[in-house]
Amino acid sequence: GTLVEDHDEL
Amino acid sequence: MNVFRLTGDLSHLAAIIILLLKIWKTRSCAGISGKSQILFALVFTTRYLDLLTSFISLYNTCMKIIYVGCAYATVYLIYAKFRATYDGNHDTFRIEFLVVPVGGLAFLVNHDFSPLEILWTFSIYLESVAILPQLFMISKTGEAETITTHYLFCLGVYRALYLFNWIWRFYFEGFFDMIAIVAGVVQTILYCDFFYLYVTKVNAVQRFQ
């Protein structure tokens, strides 16, 4: 799953 | 960072610059949907609020600032500087029909019920449909200038490359973001009809109807 508030993509 | 992600970002950047330069050089925004550009400015604003809360990398920060800056510059050129050339009569898509449902969906389906995360989710959903006013405008007038089609092509390529990026990240990093992937697939599908026209007509006659 993805880490919340860790969006490294643009 | 992988090659698909990087070329996707660069394709996105190229699209944004192409549109900005086209409007600046021709001193006209004829054929460009101001509503789509407002939606993109809204997309970048709500997505990149994390500029204020977290630092990821110099690349990340620079690209975000460039995207946001160019989005607002484009909106400014359309609605202020070259307003006289804006084709408002043909830019009739009702954006509240996109923003309101997308806002509701972001509240219902998100990774975490926090303000920043909901706004990020909103931006992902909104980006997937933000080009619709532009595509609607083209279908209404029945034509688009070649440079406008290059802009749309680069935007579509960017999202398609991101799909490959997610496949790569799933296999090599175990990374999997369902919200981004579903929205990305929807967004790419919206460009498919345009891709077909671009390949078959734009390159053949430099103008398509």
Side-chain angles (χ1 to χ4, degrees):
Chain A
T2 179
L3 287 173
V4 169
E5 291 177 14
D6 182 25
H7 304 296
D8 66 317
E9 291 178 346
L10 298 166
Chain B
M1 179 68 80
N2 58 64
V3 66
F4 300 114
R5 160 77 199 282
L6 181 62
T7 46
D9 285 348
L10 293 178
S11 180
H12 196 184
L13 184 63
I16 292 168
I17 302 284
I18 284 172
L19 183 65
L20 204 50
L21 278 182
K22 169 201 151 61
I23 296 173
W24 185 256
K25 295 272 183 188
T26 62
R27 311 197 75 71
S28 164
C29 56
I32 302 300
S33 167
K35 291 183 175 179
S36 274
Q37 296 310 313
I38 286 176
L39 292 181
F40 281 125
L42 188 58
V43 163
F44 291 138
T45 306
T46 51
R47 186 175 308 169
Y48 298 158
L49 286 172
D50 65 352
L51 275 172
L52 306 172
T53 62
S54 58
F55 178 80
I56 293 168
S57 68
L58 190 61
Y59 170 83
N60 192 279
T61 301
C62 290
M63 292 295 263
K64 283 175 175 173
I65 291 171
I66 293 170
Y67 285 1
V68 172
C70 287
Y72 279 97
T74 305
V75 168
Y76 165 75
L77 290 185
I78 295 173
Y79 285 99
K81 194 163 178 62
F82 302 127
R83 188 186 183 92
T85 64
Y86 170 54
D87 203 2
N89 289 336
H90 289 127
D91 193 13
T92 51
F93 197 97
R94 300 278 297 272
I95 56 175
E96 60 269 34
F97 291 161
L98 295 179
V99 174
V100 173
V102 158
L105 189 62
F107 262 92
L108 294 173
V109 184
N110 51 56
H111 292 309
D112 181 50
F113 201 77
S114 65
L116 266 188
E117 189 63 21
I118 290 171
L119 285 170
W120 178 86
T121 311
F122 171 78
S123 82
I124 293 289
Y125 294 152
L126 186 60
E127 185 189 348
S128 69
V129 293
I131 200 62
L132 284 178
Q134 180 66 63
L135 296 178
F136 181 72
M137 191 174 180
I138 289 175
S139 72
K140 208 173 175 201
T141 60
E143 62 174 22
E145 287 180 38
T146 304
I147 195 77
T148 306
T149 66
H150 294 334
Y151 161 71
L152 287 168
F153 183 73
C154 286
L155 266 190
V157 165
Y158 139 66
R159 248 339 184 195
L161 285 168
Y162 256 67
L163 294 186
F164 290 109
N165 159 57
W166 290 323
I167 292 169
W168 177 284
R169 294 191 70 178
F170 178 72
Y171 277 107
F172 293 102
E173 301 169 24
F175 176 87
F176 186 74
D177 185 339
M178 187 55 104
I179 286 177
I181 291 171
V182 171
V185 168
V186 168
Q187 188 172 348
T188 308
I189 289 171
L190 291 181
Y191 285 88
C192 282
D193 180 50
F194 169 78
F195 278 148
Y196 175 75
L197 288 172
Y198 183 85
V199 170
T200 56
K201 298 202 174 168
V202 174
N203 292 323
V205 295
Q206 293 294 302
R207 194 172 180 89
F208 85 98
Q209 300 198 333

